[in-house]
Amino acid sequence: MTKETDNTRTELTKTQKNRLVLMICIILTFTVMNGTMFNVAIPDIAEDFNLLPSQVTWVMTGYILVFAIGALMYGKLADIYPIKRLLTFGIILFATGAAIGLFSQNYPMLLAARLIQAMGGATIPALAFIIPARFMPKERGRVYGTVSATVAFASGLGPITGGLVGGAFDWRYLFILSILSLFSIPFLRRWIPDESVRKGTVDIPGAAMIAAAIAGLLFAITALSLIGLFVFITAIIIFVFHVRNHPAPFIDPSMLKNKYYTTAVMTSFLGTSVMFGMIFIVPIMARAVYGLDTMEIGLLLFPGALGAALIGQRGGYFVEKKGSYPVLQVAFILAIAGSLLISTFIGLPPYLLALCILVQYTAFPLIQSSTANLLTELVPEEKTGVGIGMFNLMNFMSGAISSAIFGAFLDLERVSLQLNPFALSEDIYLYSNLFLAISIIALAAIVFFTLKFRHRISPQNKKFS
């Protein structure tokens, strides 16, 4: 039996905790695969609808944009409404979008399906990081490691599945797997502890302003639009004035005044842009440079995802035992090394490139688990939902912005400028330069984090004080 106190803190047995972690991993698998399955199908979608890379990127960018806003919104809602109720609603909406996508006959219909999916699917990663902090605080480091390992493995399983289904049938059939997420509802209804509704309000106008700002920024990047830039700047200015007069704004300014919290979120933002950049570029590069089909692209990514899953699981234990900083430091070293290796060895046989991807892929779960654990230490317990929500918002926004930027560069198709002196031929300079830029972003992230947090690190055990 569970014991519930006035502040909704629920004490769970070991069996209940194991079931809850299993449930988190199952529903996360559906969501993550939904994203990475379509990564490898992007060349096929572009071919079917005759789209440029900057246009087809909205299959991912639009999805991630709505996901980003939803992640923070659901994080805020989780501080008010029961997690069980939010997840049930989200999964039903997620499957509804998938049903529409299954029958999509044109690009606007496909985008609509993806946006509806995102509206519902945003509940899953948002709440997957809140559940351990709320119901398993003593084990949250290990659970974050398991969650991040699941994300990494599912991100690799997605391309394989996408390759099999898309290669044998049609990319539209990928939506069937997302519809299967409905079968998780009876388990989450049974295994997630009951909670009562708490006091609180949701700043809908503020959420709309942030959504407009992010959409304007992405439109400015992808279409080089001055109108998009104007929308972005205007929405930000209006939101700043809105925050000053709203008692519970969509983004809590008091949290942003905490320089350690802001630094951790921004470090995660940069780290996620590194990983999303790699995952977005590789399928397009593999098709252009190696002529790989959808299935082969999935096989190229899978070793990295499998290695990341194994490393991520152990990373959770290291976070719990050693603290977040050393794990985060190792993660960025792997990200820097991996992107440099990819930049250098593009053009060599695919199996060698897969080993380079493996190095960078393993950084992803370590960045996620260490920063998530750190953030739960930096925010008050009653603001865990919105604190993790901001973490998710910035991560998904990072993915959307990085995909949009890299998509715009990929439109160039051919570049004569060689930034990496070890690049093999002029045909791959564009991709080599992009991965060199990714390594610089990763280096900047860990330097930024180290400088800001150097006074909070104990020299004896590297744990945060």
Side-chain angles (χ1 to χ4, degrees):
M1 296 292 293
T2 61
K3 298 179 181 178
E4 194 170 341
T5 63
D6 292 338
N7 62 359
T8 72
R9 170 59 58 81
T10 304
E11 298 177 9
L12 305 179
T13 65
K14 183 177 181 180
T15 299
Q16 289 172 319
K17 290 177 182 177
N18 291 338
R19 287 177 177 175
L20 196 52
V21 172
L22 176 62
M23 187 274 301
I24 294 172
C25 293
I26 289 172
I27 59 177
L28 264 177
T29 299
F30 283 115
T31 311
V32 175
M33 285 181 60
N34 180 70
T36 57
M37 284 189 303
F38 283 94
N39 284 354
V40 297
I42 280 177
D44 294 330
I45 295 172
E47 185 177 339
D48 278 2
F49 297 127
N50 193 26
L51 302 170
L52 292 171
S54 60
Q55 295 172 316
V56 74
T57 188
W58 278 93
V59 172
M60 289 176 57
T61 302
Y63 182 89
I64 296 171
L65 169 63
V66 177
F67 226 72
I69 301 300
L72 181 53
M73 177 65 76
Y74 288 120
K76 176 65 175 178
L77 290 174
D79 286 334
I80 303 173
Y81 298 102
I83 289 177
K84 180 186 297 186
R85 185 184 306 176
L86 295 174
L87 269 178
T88 302
F89 168 79
I91 291 175
I92 291 173
L93 195 59
F94 178 67
T96 300
I100 296 172
L102 180 61
F103 300 101
S104 60
Q105 297 301 312
N106 51 60
Y107 191 50
M109 188 174 178
L110 172 63
L111 282 181
R114 293 287 284 168
L115 295 180
I116 293 172
Q117 273 197 300
M119 291 176 191
T123 58
I124 298 171
L127 302 179
F129 280 95
I130 294 173
I131 288 173
R134 180 167 298 175
F135 301 121
M136 297 170 280
K138 295 180 181 179
E139 299 90 356
R140 69 173 184 266
R142 278 176 288 177
V143 177
Y144 284 146
T146 301
V147 167
S148 299
T150 299
V151 171
F153 181 71
S155 68
L157 187 61
I160 294 291
T161 306
L164 285 170
V165 176
F169 304 101
D170 183 89
W171 55 264
R172 292 173 182 82
Y173 286 94
L174 297 174
F175 284 106
I176 294 176
L177 299 175
S178 299
I179 295 173
L180 295 177
S181 63
L182 289 171
F183 290 101
S184 68
I185 291 178
F187 298 100
L188 70 88
R189 300 290 300 177
R190 184 182 310 158
W191 293 345
I192 296 180
D194 293 323
E195 301 174 272
S196 58
V197 176
R198 293 168 288 274
K199 293 182 179 180
T201 59
V202 179
D203 179 18
I204 300 297
M209 293 172 205
I210 292 297
I214 297 172
L217 178 61
L218 293 176
F219 189 64
I221 293 170
T222 57
L224 299 178
S225 168
L226 291 178
I227 295 176
L229 183 61
F230 174 77
V231 170
F232 168 70
I233 295 174
T234 302
I236 290 295
I237 292 174
I238 294 174
F239 180 76
V240 170
F241 284 102
H242 172 77
V243 165
R244 294 178 179 177
N245 300 307
H246 198 283
F250 187 60
I251 296 179
D252 189 348
S254 66
M255 295 181 64
L256 299 181
K257 291 178 183 178
N258 183 332
K259 68 175 183 178
Y260 298 110
Y261 174 82
T262 304
T263 298
V265 169
M266 290 305 302
T267 301
S268 180
F269 175 91
L270 294 173
T272 303
S273 71
V274 166
M275 303 316 301
F276 268 95
M278 183 270 290
I279 293 172
F280 177 73
I281 295 171
V282 165
I284 296 175
M285 178 192 71
R287 180 68 59 90
V289 176
Y290 294 97
L292 301 184
D293 61 27
T294 305
M295 177 61 185
E296 290 169 333
I297 293 172
L299 291 173
L300 182 68
L301 289 169
F302 184 71
L306 181 60
L310 298 175
I311 294 294
Q313 180 64 48
R314 297 302 306 169
Y317 287 96
F318 286 125
V319 167
E320 196 170 80
K321 298 295 183 182
K322 302 294 184 180
S324 299
Y325 176 73
V327 177
L328 191 63
Q329 189 175 45
V330 169
F332 276 104
I333 290 173
L334 289 171
I336 294 166
S339 53
L340 283 175
L341 287 171
I342 296 172
S343 174
T344 301
F345 293 115
I346 295 173
L348 291 180
Y351 68 87
L352 292 177
L353 187 65
L355 294 177
C356 300
I357 293 171
L358 173 99
V359 175
Q360 184 169 352
Y361 226 130
T362 53
F364 178 67
L366 300 179
I367 292 173
Q368 288 282 293
S369 59
S370 56
T371 51
N373 186 69
L374 174 59
L375 288 172
T376 58
E377 298 173 355
L378 294 173
V379 298
E381 182 180 340
E382 67 275 9
K383 294 185 177 181
T384 298
V386 70
I388 293 296
M390 177 68 74
F391 163 73
N392 282 308
L393 169 70
M394 296 301 290
N395 281 346
F396 292 121
M397 194 171 75
S398 168
I401 292 174
S402 63
S403 296
I405 292 174
F406 291 130
F409 275 107
L410 288 170
D411 283 350
L412 300 175
E413 294 184 353
R414 191 176 183 87
V415 170
S416 59
L417 177 64
Q418 180 184 8
L419 297 180
N420 185 341
F422 302 104
L424 296 178
S425 70
E426 186 175 343
D427 292 337
I428 54 90
Y429 284 171
L430 171 61
Y431 303 104
S432 178
N433 292 345
L434 287 176
F435 276 102
L436 185 63
I438 286 174
S439 68
I440 294 173
I441 293 171
L443 176 62
I446 191 58
V447 170
F448 171 70
F449 179 85
T450 301
L451 290 176
K452 292 292 185 179
F453 269 84
R454 65 186 184 276
H455 297 304
R456 286 183 59 89
I457 302 170
S458 168
Q460 285 80 14
N461 57 14
K462 297 291 184 182
K463 285 189 178 181
F464 292 97
S465 59

